[in-house]
Amino acid sequence: MAIKKIAVMTSGGDSPGMNAFIRGTVRAGIKKGLEVYGIYEGYQGLIENLLVKMSYDSVCNIIQHGGTILKTSRSKEFMTVEGRKKAAANLDALGIDALICCGGDGSYAGLKAFANKETGEWKGQVIGTPGTIDNDVKGTDYTIGFDTAINTAMEAIDKLRDTGDSHNMHFIVEVMGRHCGDLANAVGIASGANNVLIPETPTNVDEVLKSLRDHGHDIIVIAEGDEIGGAYKLAEILKEKYCPVGEKECNPNFRVCVLGHIQRGGSPTARDRILAHTMAEFAVDKALEGATLSAVGIKQDNLVLYSL
Ligand code: F6P
């Protein structure tokens, strides 16, 4: 059965490139003869029926902007059967055949529950595309927004280096990544950090301490999810260890900088825009071929479709 209508949404934490993704989906869909609807505010908007028909021009002049024009949310209500039933009714009322969602692992879990063949509330097709700065979606080498976040954090650290070098000051820089050290690793390499602390490996504070003692000014990158407990906690531990017992005047010269949500904003890099566009068109093509409960990924530079 040929599909006629698709809906596109962004979900979970936003990531730079989501607008390029929306643009790509809307325009590819329209060019292929489909009606395309935009869902505002992620799963919560789907429950509240915030669906709007998109035109070719409705996605004009957004490719260069961070954030998402459709907005996004983390919906608790969609985790309930009642919430998902409301969402399904809204899609059915408009005759939507396929839902394409750009988000992270939480958003994928939502799609899976929603369209599960036995227990799901919706009978239409669902396709996930990976959008998160964390790069923590299984089955894809890269997620939309990861590259921009690396560059944003790297540029911030370049600036910290200027002042760090002038004052012989060490910096402990916290980057995002609740469960995944990909962003911290990439940022650490790109900005020449001597230590990168990530959730996947045990942190050796003595090694970090040695590095601080050996270098005039040092950059330590720590993922927010590192088991030590983040940049401020690390600073506390290091300060205690750095100062000889009983020495009151000891004042090690290091500072903490938590980059936080800055990493989620900003104009997407060319790489993220291209990734977003190619994934969007691929998702539309796969929807037309009848794919469901599927995810789009990129593996060794090839677009792939795999099971959610
Ligand atoms: O999942 C993406 C992410 O940016 C994580 O790196 C971070 O831990 C989290 O979102 C922050 O979420 P919120 O904006 O809801 O605080």
Side-chain angles (χ1 to χ4, degrees), residues 184-203:
N185 267 336
V187 170
I189 294 167
S191 55
N194 280 324
N195 289 277
V196 181
L197 314 184
I198 57 172
E200 292 89 340
T201 56
T203 292

Side-chain angles (χ1 to χ4, degrees), residues 112-259:
K112 262 174 89 171
F114 193 42
N116 182 290
K117 292 267 190 270
E118 277 97 48
T119 57
E121 294 74 21
W122 194 51
K123 299 285 167 255
Q125 298 164 232
V126 297
I127 299 182
T129 47
T132 164
I133 64 163
D134 289 4
N135 206 41
D136 61 348
V137 176
K138 210 172 172 181
T140 184
D141 291 343
Y142 295 106
T143 58
I144 297 163
F146 178 55
D147 187 60
T148 308
I150 297 169
N151 280 284
T152 300
M154 180 194 73
E155 282 165 19
I157 294 175
D158 287 350
K159 294 186 172 89
L160 293 176
R161 274 188 172 282
D162 291 343
T163 178
D165 184 50
S166 307
H167 287 266
N168 284 333
M169 197 154 64
H170 307 297
F171 270 103
I172 302 170
V173 185
E174 184 178 301
V175 300
M176 276 187 167
R178 265 181 300 197
H179 311 291
C180 178
D182 276 25
L183 183 60
N185 267 336
V187 170
I189 294 167
S191 55
N194 280 324
N195 289 277
V196 181
L197 314 184
I198 57 172
E200 292 89 340
T201 56
T203 292
N204 184 336
V205 177
D206 291 328
E207 256 178 41
V208 179
L209 203 60
K210 183 173 180 316
S211 175
L212 288 185
R213 289 206 168 104
D214 288 352
H215 302 105
H217 76 106
D218 210 353
I219 301 286
I220 300 162
V221 172
I222 180 167
E224 63 177 327
D226 185 72
E227 79 280 2
I228 215 97
Y232 282 105
K233 187 73 200 163
L234 177 68
E236 230 176 74
I237 297 170
L238 286 174
K239 193 164 184 180
E240 222 164 75
K241 285 206 167 209
Y242 196 95
C243 297
V245 183
E247 195 172 306
K248 287 212 178 76
E249 295 307 308
C250 173
N251 193 17
N253 205 7
F254 53 78
R255 302 283 189 277
V256 169
C257 182
V258 178
L259 296 181

